[in-house]
Amino acid sequence: MFAPGPELGREELAPSCPNPLFLQWLVEWRDTAAERQHKSQIVYEKAIRSLTMYPLPLHSGREAKILYGFGDGICNRLDEKLSEYYTEHGTNAPIHYTYNPLLTTQAQYRTKLGSPAKVPRCRAAESVSEEDDAAEPRPSPSKRRRPENREEQEYKPQKRSGGYALLLTFYREAKKPNYRGFMTKAELQRKAQPLCRISFTHFKASYRYNAWSAISALIQKDLVIKTGFPASGASHRKRELVTELKRSQIEFDVRKLHVGDFLWVARERVQHQPGQPQTPRARELVLEYVVERKRMDDLCGSIVDGRFREQKFRMKRCGLRNRIYLVEDCSFVKHLSLPESTLQQAIVNTQVVDGFFVKRTKDVKESAAYLTIMTRFLQNLYLQKTLLSCRKEELAACSRKDTDSDTRVLLTFSDFNEGAMKNRAQTVKEVFAKQLMQINGISGEKAVAILRHYDSVASLMKAYEECPTAGGREKLLSNIKCGNTQRNLGPALSKTVSQLYCTEGPLC
């Protein structure tokens, strides 16, 4: 619901910008990139901040290359745009005059009371950070005044900030005859994004806030009322999945797993013996199947923050041979921060390159149905088998010795879960593997392939020292076979690794 609020914006004089045309074009390109959820908006944002702090006029895009955030691409595009400008207005047309780029793009917007939205300072509007969007705008330290009564101070979000976009979206939707009286988070983010200069769905590097962070301030000030959890919430999906499993009469426990989202255990049947104070604790063995569940938006987030590769690597080393990736579709996949084609490619790579079994479902109910079928399948599969236990470090040897089709050697649940802890004490080999995976292009299976030959940094450095030439060091790892396809690691990655470990001083 939308509660009536004060007039949006604040009235200040817009100072002169030394390079207003360049600033206008950069703002337009950034806004276009933001609407398309393209990562280039971050590049344009850096260039805008740099340009607004530069005090001298620029006469070409090439001159702007001295500024931070201006590469060849932006400079060439500015020169092309400047050439078009001169063609249309003449070679003597002025390019250094006082101009506020936000005035032409936002003047048509109306506040809730019907008055035109006021224009903020040109410099402040472009240099504001995400933290500022989530709170009240603050003047500079030299002009800051402590109000006599803080409670009477009006909340005035800056133009194109998160709070501004959210309030204006609510106002526009409330005027429509078919308005339902509320909006879900996904709807609100999608419709408010064109009105905001930063993303509602993903975070910039080094920031903990995005445009959606402003919703907390709006709720706190009673401008927005939160009356429930949207259907897209993770907690709601978990409750819905539990409901579906109960409906299918599937017996399950909710526990903390350090890897994966679902697995199956065989529990020993124990009976109370006369004379014993209590029934002995039943032993539990983990069956050879583990499931990682991802909705498409979860998959997108895990790729962006780096969890995707790490989770797959940890699942490969968890000791269970049958690894399943359960991927649920979502209705707003086209509005995520990564293109749908990128997500589809990541799913294909998970199956083809990483060797996971990928199961696609359309919603929570279909995921619950798949888990139900898997549970009944595994009950029948292991019903007549003899199950033996062993420790994780003994599993490989025990599995090779076990040739009886009616016998299975499995991990105990405690050994499995403790061995999969993310923050447990790590071996030198595991730390070396994580270090290798930070190199762009080295996946988990490529890191494992390198570890088969060199199980520590010390062993790799010793091999490099024995190479007589720099060329030999660069090609040392190129013929290592990787993965199921047994393809070579290749000279490019081999050279990158050698540069990382053999270069003295900083890498250029």
Side-chain angles (χ1 to χ4, degrees), residues 173-205:
E173 292 297 314
K175 292 175 63 177
K176 296 181 180 179
N178 59 345
Y179 179 57
R180 299 174 297 176
F182 68 92
M183 297 181 69
T184 65
K185 178 180 177 180
E187 293 171 340
L188 191 54
Q189 287 178 330
R190 184 175 67 254
K191 294 184 178 182
Q193 186 60 74
L195 305 175
C196 186
R197 64 179 174 273
I198 58 177
S199 175
F200 275 92
T201 56
H202 72 278
F203 299 83
K204 291 184 182 179

Side-chain angles (χ1 to χ4, degrees), residues 366-379:
E366 197 166 296
S367 297
Y370 174 73
L371 294 174
T372 300
I373 294 173
M374 279 294 300
T375 301
R376 291 170 181 164
F377 164 74
L378 293 176
Q379 286 173 341

